Amino acid sequence: MENDIKKVLVSNEEINDICKKLGKQISKDYEGKDLVIVGLLKGCLPFMSDLFKEVTIYAKIDYMRVSSYAGKESTGKIKILNDISFGVTDKDVLIVDDIIDTGLTLEKIKNLFLARKAKSVKTCVLLDKPEGRTTSINADYVGTTVPKEFVVGYGLDYNDYYRNLSYIGVLKEEVYQK
Ligand code: PRP
């Protein structure tokens, strides 16, 4: 699997530092609030796990399974495959995802929680790919920015593989031509 990677964009050490920094900021910002952290599966899994351990205040956790990509391209249609188990009325919701690209996923899920009368809805991503944006949404908490390249690892996939890499990398071109 590692042989398919052309270059490393964000190392595991950098990711650990990002989780510590974001966890500290989130703990400060949400102190005394009714925080529910909602991860968007499958991509959020490693980030959610590492970030949550850095949050030092009372917080509940839940997951929603959302999907929109086929291969390298966004289909533009966000499908909710599994919903959360909590009601979010009057809760302070923080949506956690691996990446914001077009912004369609976060825009749709944020609007859904607002419609369900959450007290507040903010978003947190490990990676921001601003050049991919087709919506006006930006994440409230961002780990780091990546260029307009297709990235994999640490939750991010190509055809459901590479999520188990411990870092963020770029695939060799020949992998897409297989
Ligand atoms: C990926 C990623 C984000 C979304 C970001 O999910 O995990 O949820 O795309 O892209 P966007 O900003 O263009 O909407 P995907 O639909 O591939 O599902 P997955 O998490 O199961 O990989």
Side-chain angles (χ1 to χ4, degrees):
M1 180 175 67
E2 302 251 357
N3 285 340
D4 294 347
I5 302 300
K6 183 166 73 176
K7 63 179 170 185
V8 176
L9 276 187
V10 191
S11 70
N12 187 256
E13 290 72 25
E14 289 172 293
I15 293 172
N16 286 339
D17 288 347
I18 287 169
C19 289
K20 284 195 174 73
K21 199 170 142 216
L22 288 177
K24 199 171 170 188
Q25 188 64 48
I26 290 164
S27 302
K28 185 167 167 254
D29 294 351
Y30 284 90
E31 179 72 63
K33 297 194 173 177
D34 202 355
L35 176 59
V36 178
I37 302 180
V38 178
L40 304 186
L41 291 171
K42 304 175 194 171
C44 76
L45 200 61
F47 180 47
M48 183 75 157
S49 168
D50 289 341
L51 177 69
F52 193 54
K53 285 181 278 188
E54 300 297 336
V55 172
T56 55
I57 57 169
Y58 289 106
K60 290 184 180 180
I61 196 169
D62 208 343
Y63 292 93
M64 182 178 254
R65 191 163 163 225
V66 182
S67 181
S68 66
Y69 276 71
K72 284 171 70 185
E73 304 298 327
S74 171
T75 61
K77 292 198 178 76
I78 317 299
K79 283 189 260 173
I80 297 173
L81 304 174
N82 286 105
D83 207 338
I84 51 169
S85 53
F86 293 137
V88 295
T89 305
D90 295 332
K91 305 283 185 202
D92 293 296
V93 177
L94 179 65
I95 306 168
V96 171
D97 210 350
D98 49 1
I99 189 166
I100 179 168
D101 187 348
T102 63
L104 287 166
T105 303
L106 284 184
E107 185 181 65
K108 170 153 180 165
I109 304 304
K110 182 174 180 175
N111 286 337
L112 178 74
F113 289 144
L114 287 172
R116 289 179 183 178
K117 307 271 186 277
K119 189 173 179 185
S120 69
V121 184
K122 285 191 175 182
T123 54
C124 174
V125 292
L126 174 66
L127 306 177
D128 185 359
K129 197 189 280 182
E131 289 168 70
R133 204 80 87 254
T134 59
T135 56
S136 57
I137 190 168
N138 283 310
D140 299 289
Y141 300 91
V142 174
T144 188
T145 301
V146 287
K148 199 172 191 277
E149 283 186 280
F150 192 78
V151 289
V152 296
Y154 198 72
L156 290 118
D157 73 304
Y158 173 59
N159 286 346
D160 251 336
Y161 288 113
Y162 306 104
R163 294 191 198 272
N164 49 328
L165 288 172
S166 63
Y167 53 84
I168 302 291
V170 178
L171 282 178
K172 291 175 183 165
E173 277 79 19
E174 59 256 39
V175 176
Y176 303 121
Q177 288 146 18
K178 274 182 192 168

